[in-house]
């Protein structure tokens, strides 16, 4: 099976009764292994909600979600955590690096849950840091890095456990356009190595980096095109 993400008639409702917000309404799409997809829409359109559901951080109110072959609706929290750890690498706008750890330690962290010993974790972390041109900053702390360097370290962390899917929510949102372009080049490289990349953004120029573009508006998919 080559479909790594399947959403079928997925709805997400936050709150209840008169306060209810329909963040996703009857959303259906699937993503195949190795695709590079952007999910684009204005603020409040449901992008992060969609990303949280794809990333097994949240479950839908209704509908079917299958991530890397697992139905998340039926899964317990610890099973979702295992799925996230094995199959998904996350990249966020604000990096989410641990400030008390060096770049190397941050990138080694996800490998701890994969049964790697310390030496193997170190070796793999150095390898992915080299791929994002961060070999000369491995002993630095996040506070000692530029925004672009922080995001490259975060991409290395996302890639460390060789996930099936890399999910990025506004990864260039805090960067100037030049640095943002460099970071987008890294995602292109990640995708070329065979990883499925899903990029969430409100920025049309960023969305155009992906070969497949899904547009969401008010919780509804309004466009899904491949170039
Ligand atoms: N935890 C929550 N509780 C209640 N409502 C929520 C919650 N999270 C999101 N929403 C609502 O769901 C809708 C979609 O939110 P979402 O965060 O998915 O939008 P977004 O497209 O990511 O926006 P942005 O570009 O601003 O990040 C919004 O109307 C929002 O107010
Ligand atoms: Mg969002």
């Amino acid at each position: 099976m080559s479909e790594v993400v399947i959403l079928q008639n997925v709805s997400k409702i936050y709150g209840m009764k008169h306060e209810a917000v329909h963040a996703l309404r009857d959303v259906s799409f699937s993503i195949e292994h190795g695709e590079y997809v952007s999910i684009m829409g204005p603020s409040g359109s449901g992008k992060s909600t969609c990303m949280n559901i794809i990333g097994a951080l949240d479950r839908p109110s209704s509908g079917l979600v299958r991530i890397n072959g697992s139905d998340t609706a039926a899964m317990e929290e610890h099973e979702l955590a295992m799925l996230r750890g094995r199959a998904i690498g996350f990249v966020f706008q604000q990096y989410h690096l641990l400030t008390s750890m060096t770049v190397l330690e941050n990138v080694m962290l996800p490998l701890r849950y994969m049964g790697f010993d310390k030496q193997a974790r170190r070796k793999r972390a150095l390898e992915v840091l080299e791929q994002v041109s961060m070999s000369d900053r491995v002993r630095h702390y996040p506070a000692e890095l530029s925004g672009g360097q922080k995001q490259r370290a975060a991409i290395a962390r996302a890639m460390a456990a060789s996930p099936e899917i890399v999910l990025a929510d506004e990864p260039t949102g805090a960067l100037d356009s030049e640095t943002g372009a460099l970071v987008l080049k890294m995602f292109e490289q990640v995708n070329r190595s065979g990883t499925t990349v899903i990029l969430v953004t409100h920025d049309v120029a960023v969305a155009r980096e992906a070969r497949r573009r899904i547009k969401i508006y008010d919780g509804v998919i309004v466009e899904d095109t491949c170039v």
Side-chain angles (χ1 to χ4, degrees), residues 47-109:
K47 303 183 297 295
S48 294
T49 302
C50 196
M51 161 154 170
N52 291 342
I53 286 173
I54 295 173
L57 291 161
D58 202 357
R59 281 175 286 217
S61 304
S62 61
L64 174 108
V65 179
R66 190 168 289 152
I67 306 300
N68 219 21
S70 304
D71 276 332
T72 63
M75 286 162 75
E76 306 272 356
E77 183 45 49
H78 72 276
E79 295 173 304
L80 292 175
M82 198 141 73
L83 175 66
R84 287 196 296 272
R86 294 215 173 123
I88 303 157
F90 292 92
V91 178
F92 301 95
Q93 178 171 355
Q94 294 300 337
Y95 325 116
H96 293 198
L97 296 165
L98 297 178
T99 54
S100 61
M101 289 188 183
T102 65
V103 165
L104 181 63
E105 288 163 347
N106 266 283
V107 177
M108 284 169 68
L109 203 59

Short mmCIF file of all heavy atoms in Angstrom, two decimals, residues 47-109:
data_model
loop_
_atom_site.label_atom_id
_atom_site.label_comp_id
_atom_site.label_asym_id
_atom_site.label_seq_id
_atom_site.Cartn_x
_atom_site.Cartn_y
_atom_site.Cartn_z
N LYS A 47 -5.94 24.66 8.94
CA LYS A 47 -4.65 24.05 8.54
C LYS A 47 -3.99 23.30 9.70
O LYS A 47 -3.59 22.15 9.56
CB LYS A 47 -3.67 25.11 8.02
CG LYS A 47 -4.20 25.93 6.85
CD LYS A 47 -3.14 26.89 6.35
CE LYS A 47 -2.73 27.94 7.38
NZ LYS A 47 -3.80 28.87 7.74
N SER A 48 -3.87 23.99 10.84
CA SER A 48 -3.19 23.35 11.97
C SER A 48 -4.02 22.19 12.51
O SER A 48 -3.47 21.16 12.92
CB SER A 48 -2.90 24.37 13.08
OG SER A 48 -1.96 25.31 12.62
N THR A 49 -5.34 22.35 12.48
CA THR A 49 -6.21 21.26 12.90
C THR A 49 -5.96 20.03 12.02
O THR A 49 -5.82 18.91 12.52
CB THR A 49 -7.69 21.70 12.77
OG1 THR A 49 -7.89 22.86 13.58
CG2 THR A 49 -8.64 20.60 13.19
N CYS A 50 -5.85 20.27 10.73
CA CYS A 50 -5.60 19.20 9.76
C CYS A 50 -4.23 18.56 10.03
O CYS A 50 -4.09 17.34 10.05
CB CYS A 50 -5.64 19.82 8.37
SG CYS A 50 -5.81 18.65 7.06
N MET A 51 -3.23 19.42 10.27
CA MET A 51 -1.89 18.91 10.54
C MET A 51 -1.87 18.10 11.83
O MET A 51 -1.22 17.05 11.90
CB MET A 51 -0.92 20.09 10.63
CG MET A 51 0.36 19.73 11.34
SD MET A 51 1.74 20.74 10.88
CE MET A 51 2.91 20.21 12.13
N ASN A 52 -2.58 18.56 12.86
CA ASN A 52 -2.61 17.82 14.13
C ASN A 52 -3.24 16.44 13.96
O ASN A 52 -2.85 15.48 14.62
CB ASN A 52 -3.36 18.62 15.19
CG ASN A 52 -2.59 19.85 15.62
OD1 ASN A 52 -1.39 19.95 15.38
ND2 ASN A 52 -3.27 20.79 16.25
N ILE A 53 -4.23 16.36 13.07
CA ILE A 53 -4.89 15.07 12.83
C ILE A 53 -3.98 14.15 12.01
O ILE A 53 -3.81 12.98 12.35
CB ILE A 53 -6.27 15.29 12.16
CG1 ILE A 53 -7.23 15.85 13.22
CG2 ILE A 53 -6.80 14.01 11.53
CD1 ILE A 53 -8.58 16.27 12.71
N ILE A 54 -3.33 14.70 10.99
CA ILE A 54 -2.39 13.90 10.19
C ILE A 54 -1.21 13.45 11.06
O ILE A 54 -0.71 12.34 10.94
CB ILE A 54 -1.88 14.70 8.96
CG1 ILE A 54 -3.02 14.98 7.99
CG2 ILE A 54 -0.75 13.94 8.26
CD1 ILE A 54 -2.64 15.91 6.85
N GLY A 55 -0.79 14.32 11.98
CA GLY A 55 0.36 14.02 12.83
C GLY A 55 0.03 13.20 14.06
O GLY A 55 0.87 13.03 14.93
N ALA A 56 -1.20 12.70 14.15
CA ALA A 56 -1.65 11.87 15.28
C ALA A 56 -1.49 12.60 16.62
O ALA A 56 -1.33 11.98 17.66
CB ALA A 56 -0.92 10.53 15.30
N LEU A 57 -1.55 13.93 16.56
CA LEU A 57 -1.54 14.73 17.79
C LEU A 57 -2.97 14.91 18.29
O LEU A 57 -3.21 15.25 19.44
CB LEU A 57 -0.92 16.11 17.53
CG LEU A 57 0.58 16.12 17.24
CD1 LEU A 57 0.99 17.42 16.56
CD2 LEU A 57 1.38 15.92 18.52
N ASP A 58 -3.91 14.69 17.39
CA ASP A 58 -5.32 14.87 17.73
C ASP A 58 -6.13 13.89 16.89
O ASP A 58 -5.65 13.40 15.87
CB ASP A 58 -5.73 16.32 17.40
CG ASP A 58 -6.95 16.75 18.19
OD1 ASP A 58 -7.53 15.92 18.93
OD2 ASP A 58 -7.35 17.92 18.05
N ARG A 59 -7.34 13.62 17.35
CA ARG A 59 -8.22 12.71 16.63
C ARG A 59 -9.42 13.48 16.09
O ARG A 59 -9.81 14.48 16.67
CB ARG A 59 -8.69 11.58 17.55
CG ARG A 59 -7.63 10.52 17.74
CD ARG A 59 -8.06 9.51 18.74
NE ARG A 59 -7.99 10.07 20.09
CZ ARG A 59 -7.61 9.39 21.16
NH1 ARG A 59 -7.29 8.13 21.05
NH2 ARG A 59 -7.56 9.97 22.33
N PRO A 60 -10.01 12.99 14.99
CA PRO A 60 -11.16 13.71 14.44
C PRO A 60 -12.41 13.52 15.29
O PRO A 60 -12.48 12.57 16.09
CB PRO A 60 -11.35 13.07 13.07
CG PRO A 60 -10.84 11.68 13.24
CD PRO A 60 -9.72 11.76 14.23
N SER A 61 -13.39 14.41 15.14
CA SER A 61 -14.69 14.22 15.80
C SER A 61 -15.45 13.11 15.10
O SER A 61 -16.18 12.35 15.72
CB SER A 61 -15.51 15.51 15.75
OG SER A 61 -14.77 16.57 16.32
N SER A 62 -15.28 13.03 13.77
CA SER A 62 -15.86 11.92 13.00
C SER A 62 -15.05 11.71 11.73
O SER A 62 -14.29 12.59 11.32
CB SER A 62 -17.32 12.20 12.67
OG SER A 62 -17.43 13.36 11.88
N GLY A 63 -15.23 10.55 11.14
CA GLY A 63 -14.50 10.23 9.92
C GLY A 63 -13.35 9.28 10.18
O GLY A 63 -13.04 8.96 11.33
N LEU A 64 -12.74 8.83 9.08
CA LEU A 64 -11.67 7.85 9.17
C LEU A 64 -10.31 8.50 8.89
O LEU A 64 -10.18 9.27 7.95
CB LEU A 64 -11.92 6.74 8.13
CG LEU A 64 -10.79 5.73 8.03
CD1 LEU A 64 -11.20 4.40 8.63
CD2 LEU A 64 -10.33 5.54 6.58
N VAL A 65 -9.35 8.20 9.75
CA VAL A 65 -7.98 8.69 9.54
C VAL A 65 -7.04 7.49 9.61
O VAL A 65 -7.02 6.76 10.60
CB VAL A 65 -7.57 9.71 10.62
CG1 VAL A 65 -6.13 10.17 10.38
CG2 VAL A 65 -8.51 10.91 10.62
N ARG A 66 -6.29 7.29 8.54
CA ARG A 66 -5.32 6.20 8.55
C ARG A 66 -3.95 6.78 8.23
O ARG A 66 -3.75 7.39 7.19
CB ARG A 66 -5.72 5.13 7.52
CG ARG A 66 -4.89 3.87 7.64
CD ARG A 66 -5.48 2.73 6.84
NE ARG A 66 -6.71 2.24 7.43
CZ ARG A 66 -7.69 1.67 6.74
NH1 ARG A 66 -7.61 1.54 5.45
NH2 ARG A 66 -8.78 1.25 7.37
N ILE A 67 -3.03 6.65 9.18
CA ILE A 67 -1.69 7.19 9.03
C ILE A 67 -0.70 6.03 9.02
O ILE A 67 -0.62 5.28 10.00
CB ILE A 67 -1.35 8.16 10.21
CG1 ILE A 67 -2.42 9.26 10.35
CG2 ILE A 67 0.05 8.77 10.01
CD1 ILE A 67 -2.62 10.15 9.15
N ASN A 68 0.02 5.90 7.93
CA ASN A 68 0.99 4.82 7.80
C ASN A 68 0.37 3.46 8.14
O ASN A 68 0.98 2.64 8.81
CB ASN A 68 2.20 5.10 8.71
CG ASN A 68 3.51 4.70 8.04
OD1 ASN A 68 3.59 4.59 6.82
ND2 ASN A 68 4.54 4.48 8.84
N GLY A 69 -0.88 3.29 7.71
CA GLY A 69 -1.56 2.01 7.90
C GLY A 69 -2.32 1.85 9.20
O GLY A 69 -2.99 0.84 9.40
N SER A 70 -2.24 2.83 10.10
CA SER A 70 -2.94 2.71 11.39
C SER A 70 -4.15 3.65 11.46
O SER A 70 -4.05 4.81 11.09
CB SER A 70 -2.01 3.08 12.55
OG SER A 70 -0.85 2.29 12.54
N ASP A 71 -5.27 3.12 11.97
CA ASP A 71 -6.48 3.92 12.17
C ASP A 71 -6.35 4.68 13.49
O ASP A 71 -6.44 4.08 14.56
CB ASP A 71 -7.71 3.01 12.26
CG ASP A 71 -8.23 2.66 10.88
OD1 ASP A 71 -8.04 3.47 9.97
OD2 ASP A 71 -8.83 1.58 10.74
N THR A 72 -6.18 5.99 13.42
CA THR A 72 -5.88 6.73 14.66
C THR A 72 -7.11 6.90 15.55
O THR A 72 -6.97 7.06 16.76
CB THR A 72 -5.26 8.11 14.38
OG1 THR A 72 -6.20 8.91 13.67
CG2 THR A 72 -3.99 7.99 13.58
N ALA A 73 -8.31 6.88 14.96
CA ALA A 73 -9.52 7.11 15.75
C ALA A 73 -9.64 6.09 16.88
O ALA A 73 -10.13 6.38 17.96
CB ALA A 73 -10.76 7.08 14.86
N ALA A 74 -9.17 4.87 16.60
CA ALA A 74 -9.35 3.77 17.56
C ALA A 74 -8.15 3.62 18.51
O ALA A 74 -8.16 2.76 19.38
CB ALA A 74 -9.57 2.47 16.79
N MET A 75 -7.15 4.45 18.35
CA MET A 75 -5.91 4.23 19.10
C MET A 75 -5.87 4.96 20.44
O MET A 75 -6.40 6.04 20.59
CB MET A 75 -4.70 4.64 18.24
CG MET A 75 -4.42 3.64 17.13
SD MET A 75 -3.37 4.30 15.83
CE MET A 75 -1.79 4.31 16.61
N GLU A 76 -5.19 4.33 21.40
CA GLU A 76 -4.96 4.94 22.72
C GLU A 76 -3.84 5.98 22.59
O GLU A 76 -3.05 5.91 21.66
CB GLU A 76 -4.49 3.87 23.72
CG GLU A 76 -5.38 2.67 23.83
CD GLU A 76 -6.47 2.87 24.87
OE1 GLU A 76 -6.45 3.93 25.54
OE2 GLU A 76 -7.33 1.99 24.98
N GLU A 77 -3.77 6.86 23.58
CA GLU A 77 -2.75 7.92 23.54
C GLU A 77 -1.33 7.35 23.40
O GLU A 77 -0.55 7.86 22.61
CB GLU A 77 -2.87 8.82 24.77
CG GLU A 77 -1.92 10.00 24.79
CD GLU A 77 -1.82 10.77 23.46
OE1 GLU A 77 -2.87 11.12 22.88
OE2 GLU A 77 -0.70 11.00 23.02
N HIS A 78 -1.01 6.27 24.12
CA HIS A 78 0.36 5.76 24.03
C HIS A 78 0.65 5.15 22.65
O HIS A 78 1.79 5.17 22.18
CB HIS A 78 0.67 4.76 25.16
CG HIS A 78 -0.03 3.44 25.00
ND1 HIS A 78 -1.32 3.23 25.42
CD2 HIS A 78 0.39 2.28 24.45
CE1 HIS A 78 -1.67 1.98 25.14
NE2 HIS A 78 -0.64 1.38 24.55
N GLU A 79 -0.41 4.64 22.01
CA GLU A 79 -0.23 4.10 20.65
C GLU A 79 -0.02 5.24 19.65
O GLU A 79 0.78 5.12 18.72
CB GLU A 79 -1.46 3.28 20.24
CG GLU A 79 -1.67 2.04 21.08
CD GLU A 79 -2.99 1.34 20.74
OE1 GLU A 79 -4.06 1.99 20.81
OE2 GLU A 79 -2.94 0.15 20.41
N LEU A 80 -0.75 6.34 19.86
CA LEU A 80 -0.57 7.51 19.00
C LEU A 80 0.86 8.03 19.15
O LEU A 80 1.51 8.40 18.17
CB LEU A 80 -1.57 8.62 19.36
CG LEU A 80 -3.03 8.34 19.08
CD1 LEU A 80 -3.89 9.50 19.61
CD2 LEU A 80 -3.29 8.15 17.60
N ALA A 81 1.34 8.05 20.39
CA ALA A 81 2.70 8.53 20.65
C ALA A 81 3.73 7.67 19.93
O ALA A 81 4.70 8.17 19.37
CB ALA A 81 2.97 8.56 22.15
N MET A 82 3.48 6.36 19.92
CA MET A 82 4.39 5.44 19.25
C MET A 82 4.37 5.68 17.73
O MET A 82 5.42 5.71 17.09
CB MET A 82 4.00 4.00 19.56
CG MET A 82 5.06 3.00 19.31
SD MET A 82 5.07 1.74 20.58
CE MET A 82 3.59 0.84 20.13
N LEU A 83 3.18 5.87 17.20
CA LEU A 83 3.03 6.15 15.76
C LEU A 83 3.78 7.44 15.40
O LEU A 83 4.51 7.49 14.40
CB LEU A 83 1.54 6.27 15.41
CG LEU A 83 1.19 6.70 13.97
CD1 LEU A 83 1.63 5.63 12.97
CD2 LEU A 83 -0.31 6.96 13.83
N ARG A 84 3.60 8.47 16.23
CA ARG A 84 4.30 9.75 15.98
C ARG A 84 5.81 9.55 15.99
O ARG A 84 6.52 10.04 15.11
CB ARG A 84 3.93 10.78 17.07
CG ARG A 84 2.54 11.34 16.94
CD ARG A 84 2.41 12.59 17.79
NE ARG A 84 2.54 12.38 19.23
CZ ARG A 84 1.55 12.06 20.05
NH1 ARG A 84 0.33 11.90 19.59
NH2 ARG A 84 1.77 11.90 21.34
N GLY A 85 6.29 8.84 16.99
CA GLY A 85 7.73 8.64 17.14
C GLY A 85 8.35 7.88 15.99
O GLY A 85 9.46 8.16 15.56
N ARG A 86 7.60 6.90 15.46
CA ARG A 86 8.16 6.05 14.41
C ARG A 86 7.97 6.62 13.02
O ARG A 86 8.83 6.46 12.15
CB ARG A 86 7.46 4.68 14.44
CG ARG A 86 7.77 3.94 15.71
CD ARG A 86 7.88 2.45 15.45
NE ARG A 86 8.34 1.80 16.66
CZ ARG A 86 7.67 0.82 17.26
NH1 ARG A 86 6.55 0.38 16.75
NH2 ARG A 86 8.16 0.28 18.35
N ALA A 87 6.80 7.24 12.79
CA ALA A 87 6.43 7.54 11.40
C ALA A 87 6.49 9.01 11.02
O ALA A 87 6.48 9.33 9.83
CB ALA A 87 5.02 7.00 11.13
N ILE A 88 6.54 9.90 12.03
CA ILE A 88 6.35 11.32 11.70
C ILE A 88 7.44 12.19 12.30
O ILE A 88 7.81 12.04 13.46
CB ILE A 88 4.96 11.79 12.19
CG1 ILE A 88 3.86 10.93 11.55
CG2 ILE A 88 4.73 13.26 11.82
CD1 ILE A 88 2.58 10.92 12.31
N GLY A 89 7.96 13.10 11.48
CA GLY A 89 8.88 14.13 11.97
C GLY A 89 8.18 15.47 11.90
O GLY A 89 7.56 15.79 10.88
N PHE A 90 8.26 16.24 12.98
CA PHE A 90 7.54 17.52 13.04
C PHE A 90 8.50 18.70 12.95
O PHE A 90 9.56 18.70 13.57
CB PHE A 90 6.78 17.64 14.37
CG PHE A 90 5.64 16.69 14.51
CD1 PHE A 90 5.82 15.45 15.11
CD2 PHE A 90 4.38 17.02 14.03
CE1 PHE A 90 4.77 14.56 15.24
CE2 PHE A 90 3.32 16.13 14.16
CZ PHE A 90 3.52 14.89 14.77
N VAL A 91 8.07 19.71 12.19
CA VAL A 91 8.81 20.98 12.14
C VAL A 91 7.79 22.10 12.36
O VAL A 91 6.74 22.12 11.71
CB VAL A 91 9.51 21.17 10.77
CG1 VAL A 91 10.24 22.50 10.72
CG2 VAL A 91 10.49 20.03 10.51
N PHE A 92 8.10 23.00 13.30
CA PHE A 92 7.16 24.06 13.65
C PHE A 92 7.75 25.44 13.35
O PHE A 92 8.96 25.61 13.26
CB PHE A 92 6.83 23.99 15.15
CG PHE A 92 6.23 22.69 15.58
CD1 PHE A 92 7.03 21.69 16.12
CD2 PHE A 92 4.88 22.45 15.44
CE1 PHE A 92 6.49 20.48 16.52
CE2 PHE A 92 4.32 21.24 15.84
CZ PHE A 92 5.12 20.26 16.38
N GLN A 93 6.86 26.41 13.27
CA GLN A 93 7.30 27.79 13.01
C GLN A 93 8.30 28.26 14.06
O GLN A 93 9.29 28.91 13.73
CB GLN A 93 6.07 28.71 13.01
CG GLN A 93 6.39 30.17 12.80
CD GLN A 93 5.13 31.00 12.60
OE1 GLN A 93 4.02 30.49 12.52
NE2 GLN A 93 5.31 32.29 12.50
N GLN A 94 8.04 27.95 15.32
CA GLN A 94 8.91 28.43 16.41
C GLN A 94 9.94 27.39 16.85
O GLN A 94 10.37 27.39 18.00
CB GLN A 94 8.06 28.92 17.59
CG GLN A 94 7.21 30.16 17.27
CD GLN A 94 8.04 31.37 16.85
OE1 GLN A 94 9.22 31.47 17.18
NE2 GLN A 94 7.44 32.28 16.10
N TYR A 95 10.28 26.50 15.95
CA TYR A 95 11.39 25.53 16.11
C TYR A 95 11.15 24.46 17.18
O TYR A 95 11.40 23.30 16.96
CB TYR A 95 12.73 26.24 16.38
CG TYR A 95 12.88 27.55 15.65
CD1 TYR A 95 12.99 28.75 16.33
CD2 TYR A 95 12.87 27.59 14.25
CE1 TYR A 95 13.11 29.96 15.65
CE2 TYR A 95 12.98 28.79 13.55
CZ TYR A 95 13.09 29.97 14.27
OH TYR A 95 13.19 31.16 13.60
N HIS A 96 10.73 24.89 18.39
CA HIS A 96 10.50 23.96 19.51
C HIS A 96 11.73 23.12 19.84
O HIS A 96 11.61 21.92 20.12
CB HIS A 96 9.30 23.05 19.24
CG HIS A 96 7.99 23.77 19.20
ND1 HIS A 96 6.78 23.15 19.32
CD2 HIS A 96 7.69 25.08 19.07
CE1 HIS A 96 5.81 24.03 19.24
NE2 HIS A 96 6.33 25.22 19.09
N LEU A 97 12.91 23.74 19.78
CA LEU A 97 14.12 23.04 20.24
C LEU A 97 14.19 23.18 21.76
O LEU A 97 13.71 24.17 22.32
CB LEU A 97 15.37 23.66 19.60
CG LEU A 97 15.47 23.54 18.08
CD1 LEU A 97 16.54 24.49 17.53
CD2 LEU A 97 15.78 22.11 17.66
N LEU A 98 14.78 22.20 22.42
CA LEU A 98 14.93 22.30 23.88
C LEU A 98 16.15 23.17 24.19
O LEU A 98 17.27 22.87 23.77
CB LEU A 98 15.08 20.90 24.49
CG LEU A 98 13.86 20.00 24.29
CD1 LEU A 98 14.09 18.62 24.89
CD2 LEU A 98 12.59 20.63 24.88
N THR A 99 15.90 24.24 24.92
CA THR A 99 16.94 25.28 25.10
C THR A 99 18.10 24.82 25.98
O THR A 99 19.19 25.35 25.89
CB THR A 99 16.34 26.56 25.73
OG1 THR A 99 15.66 26.18 26.93
CG2 THR A 99 15.36 27.21 24.78
N SER A 100 17.85 23.81 26.85
CA SER A 100 18.90 23.36 27.77
C SER A 100 19.81 22.32 27.13
O SER A 100 20.74 21.82 27.76
CB SER A 100 18.25 22.79 29.02
OG SER A 100 17.46 21.68 28.65
N MET A 101 19.53 21.97 25.89
CA MET A 101 20.34 20.95 25.21
C MET A 101 21.05 21.55 24.00
O MET A 101 20.55 22.47 23.37
CB MET A 101 19.43 19.83 24.69
CG MET A 101 18.87 18.96 25.78
SD MET A 101 18.03 17.58 25.00
CE MET A 101 17.39 16.77 26.44
N THR A 102 22.19 20.96 23.68
CA THR A 102 22.91 21.39 22.47
C THR A 102 22.13 20.93 21.25
O THR A 102 21.21 20.11 21.34
CB THR A 102 24.32 20.77 22.41
OG1 THR A 102 24.18 19.35 22.28
CG2 THR A 102 25.15 21.12 23.65
N VAL A 103 22.56 21.44 20.10
CA VAL A 103 21.97 21.02 18.83
C VAL A 103 22.08 19.50 18.68
O VAL A 103 21.09 18.82 18.36
CB VAL A 103 22.70 21.74 17.66
CG1 VAL A 103 22.39 21.07 16.33
CG2 VAL A 103 22.31 23.22 17.62
N LEU A 104 23.26 18.97 18.95
CA LEU A 104 23.47 17.52 18.82
C LEU A 104 22.51 16.74 19.73
O LEU A 104 21.87 15.77 19.30
CB LEU A 104 24.92 17.17 19.15
CG LEU A 104 25.30 15.69 19.03
CD1 LEU A 104 25.14 15.18 17.60
CD2 LEU A 104 26.73 15.45 19.51
N GLU A 105 22.39 17.19 20.99
CA GLU A 105 21.50 16.49 21.94
C GLU A 105 20.04 16.57 21.50
O GLU A 105 19.29 15.61 21.64
CB GLU A 105 21.67 17.08 23.34
CG GLU A 105 23.00 16.70 23.97
CD GLU A 105 23.38 17.58 25.16
OE1 GLU A 105 22.76 18.64 25.39
OE2 GLU A 105 24.34 17.20 25.86
N ASN A 106 19.64 17.73 20.96
CA ASN A 106 18.28 17.88 20.46
C ASN A 106 17.99 16.87 19.35
O ASN A 106 16.92 16.27 19.31
CB ASN A 106 18.07 19.30 19.92
CG ASN A 106 17.48 20.25 20.94
OD1 ASN A 106 16.28 20.22 21.22
ND2 ASN A 106 18.32 21.08 21.53
N VAL A 107 18.96 16.71 18.47
CA VAL A 107 18.74 15.83 17.31
C VAL A 107 18.82 14.35 17.72
O VAL A 107 18.16 13.49 17.13
CB VAL A 107 19.74 16.18 16.18
CG1 VAL A 107 19.59 15.23 15.00
CG2 VAL A 107 19.52 17.62 15.71
N MET A 108 19.59 14.08 18.77
CA MET A 108 19.70 12.69 19.27
C MET A 108 18.42 12.24 19.98
O MET A 108 18.11 11.05 20.03
CB MET A 108 20.88 12.56 20.23
CG MET A 108 22.24 12.54 19.54
SD MET A 108 23.60 12.71 20.71
CE MET A 108 23.50 11.16 21.62
N LEU A 109 17.70 13.21 20.53
CA LEU A 109 16.55 12.89 21.40
C LEU A 109 15.51 11.93 20.80
O LEU A 109 15.14 10.96 21.46
CB LEU A 109 15.90 14.20 21.86
CG LEU A 109 15.07 14.14 23.13
CD1 LEU A 109 15.93 13.66 24.31
CD2 LEU A 109 14.46 15.50 23.43
#
